[in-house]
Amino acid sequence: MAEIVLHHVPESRSQRVLWLLHELGVDFEVKAWPFDKTLRSEAFLALNPAGRVPALEMDGRSYWETGAIIELLCERFGRLGRAPGEAERADWLIWVHFSETISQHAAALTQSHVMLREDWMRSPTVMKLEAARVGKCFDAVEAGLRGDWLLSEFSAADVAVGQAVLMGRRFHRIGDRPKMAAWMARLEARDAFKAADDGAGLYGQDFYEVPDV
Ligand SMILES: N[C@@H](CCC(=O)N[C@@H](CS)C(=O)NCC(=O)O)C(=O)O
């Protein structure tokens, strides 16, 4: 078995770690899990007691929480992070963890649009609000982009926020945010992005319209 094993559900937050591992150019294996009760099995809970992906086996233990895994991998491989004391450290941390803010809205919308099958189970008002909040997050990305990347050079912050935007743009279009649209095109042109594009997973549609309320 490889020294690093990523426990992964396609198109979920674990794609963020998959993409980063490809960017880092390290050897790893992927163990794919279905997005169902299997994540509550004893075998999976031993990897992440919260029953969520990603989980990453490395150095004889399992790590969980995407932001923590991103920090650990960048420290371990000495690339794509910003170490304490470096000028862009604070901004790097902010963007890496801001990806979770976007993901929380995308996760709520995924639950409403994809997981809850009956109309009575979902709240159109909440769905509309959550989609609008994805848009507010996109505004922050548009405002934060001053050059080609979120920081002065490409970093794991671009991977983190870029993958969160992939999830978020299923519910709110990038629209008239030209810097963000060009940045996403740059990200999607990267070999590591293409290598982490693992096909169908959580979603059956490219875009889910906001309910008319
Ligand atoms: N904050 C956590 C969230 C992890 C998370 O909720 N992952 C979702 C997939 S995107 C999941 O595994 N959900 C399974 C469930 O809620 O049962 C992280 O970033 O690792």
Side-chain angles (χ1 to χ4, degrees):
M1 192 162 90
E3 278 182 22
I4 297 178
V5 180
L6 171 65
H7 295 269
H8 174 55
V9 170
E11 293 183 327
S12 78
R13 285 173 180 87
S14 54
Q15 189 188 21
R16 203 167 300 165
V17 178
L18 180 63
W19 178 3
L20 180 61
L21 286 164
H22 282 294
E23 292 284 358
L24 290 168
V26 299
D27 285 337
F28 63 95
E29 275 176 19
V30 175
K31 162 98 177 73
W33 292 79
F35 195 68
D36 61 19
K37 288 195 175 121
T38 320
L39 297 179
R40 301 289 183 273
S41 65
E42 218 176 295
F44 192 81
L45 291 175
L47 298 162
N48 180 349
R52 312 288 182 95
V53 285
L56 187 85
E57 287 183 88
M58 184 169 72
D59 301 330
R61 61 161 288 177
S62 178
Y63 299 97
W64 39 287
E65 279 299 321
T66 317
I69 293 170
I70 289 173
E71 288 197 47
L72 287 164
L73 284 173
C74 291
E75 281 167 21
R76 166 78 182 260
F77 295 102
R79 290 196 294 285
L80 302 182
R82 295 293 183 273
E86 282 189 55
E88 294 184 313
R89 166 73 172 176
D91 287 323
W92 185 80
L93 283 173
I94 288 168
W95 286 118
V96 166
H97 294 285
F98 180 64
S99 65
E100 182 57 14
T101 299
I102 305 173
S103 305
Q104 285 289 347
H105 300 307
L109 286 157
T110 303
Q111 189 170 61
S112 294
H113 283 279
V114 181
M115 306 297 163
L116 302 178
R117 305 236 163 90
E118 308 290 339
D119 277 347
W120 63 264
M121 294 175 167
R122 16 177 189 240
S123 159
T125 307
V126 172
M127 290 158 83
K128 195 172 178 176
L129 275 172
E130 287 293 306
R133 282 152 74 77
V134 172
K136 290 288 174 205
C137 292
F138 286 1
D139 288 344
V141 177
E142 177 73 5
L145 280 163
R146 295 200 177 83
D148 282 356
W149 309 113
L150 289 168
L151 304 180
S152 57
E153 283 175 28
F154 176 79
S155 76
D158 296 292
V159 173
V161 179
Q163 194 278 336
V165 169
L166 281 186
M167 295 171 77
R169 76 179 181 188
R170 290 185 189 272
F171 307 104
H172 192 109
R173 292 190 170 86
I174 291 176
D176 186 21
R177 295 181 180 86
K179 288 188 284 179
M180 198 179 155
W183 168 76
M184 281 303 287
R186 274 190 291 280
L187 290 174
E188 288 173 88
R190 297 182 70 85
D191 289 342
F193 174 93
K194 291 178 195 159
D197 184 2
D198 46 8
L202 294 183
Y203 302 102
Q205 288 171 222
D206 287 343
F207 190 76
Y208 296 84
E209 290 291 346
V210 170
D212 194 12
V213 284

